[in-house]
Amino acid sequence: IGQNVCDTCRFPYQLKEGLETELQADIELKIIAQTGWTTTNLKNAIASQNPTADYDLVTLLIGVNNQYQHKSFSLYQQEFPELLTTAIALAKGDKNNVIVVSIPDYAFTPFGGSSASISTEIDAYNAFAESYSTQNGVVFVNITDITRQGLANPALVASDGLHPSQLAYSKFVERILPKAILVLEN
């Protein structure tokens, strides 16, 4: 959701601000996920917090920490569909109110050091998420290519040398915002 950037610099807040401007409405934002979480952490937090199932829009971006923590890919293949089902349930049971966002590729940061194996694994996670989302009629927005410009454009990387910067998040929002507007206008 945003590490080493200001709270309002994170993509959910930038998306909220963009929606408020475009729709001329007040938007309430609730963030469940935290930096560093795997699919298991997110599942547990949702179960613990027991959020209401009346959200007009739910975004789901999860998996990079499964890869980073060397969790079994089969765990992601099991838990991502469960999380997407939960996201749909929280979005008033309507798959049209959910947007899945691809996971960033941290290989293109000073921390990641251009590791081809990281990128290959990130591609597998994103291919699975995109395929599953598409098969289930859920919008999938790819932002991974933005993060793959991080070494060529260091302004896309936060000061920690690992996470996306405010600028990167604004580029994420440029892609997510039109889809989110369609969700909220319908």
Side-chain angles (χ1 to χ4, degrees), residues 100-162:
V100 173
V101 181
S102 70
I103 58 177
D105 187 347
Y106 66 94
F108 291 84
T109 66
F111 181 88
S114 301
S115 168
S117 64
I118 292 171
S119 294
T120 299
E121 291 174 13
I122 296 290
D123 285 344
Y125 279 82
N126 280 327
F128 178 80
E130 181 175 20
S131 174
Y132 191 85
S133 299
T134 302
Q135 288 172 10
N136 288 280
V138 175
V139 170
F140 183 89
V141 176
N142 181 17
I143 55 82
T144 308
D145 61 313
I146 296 167
T147 62
R148 288 184 169 158
Q149 300 169 31
L151 290 173
N153 183 357
L156 294 171
V157 181
S159 62
D160 64 0
L162 172 60

Side-chain angles (χ1 to χ4, degrees), residues 1 7-8 10-17 19-20 26-32 55 57-59:
I1 62 156
D7 286 348
T8 58
R10 300 169 174 186
F11 99 81
Y13 287 96
Q14 289 192 44
L15 180 60
K16 173 189 182 292
E17 290 173 355
L19 288 168
E20 287 179 336
D26 289 328
I27 305 289
E28 186 178 327
L29 176 64
K30 178 173 178 62
I31 299 173
I32 295 175
Y55 290 91
L57 172 67
V58 174
T59 61

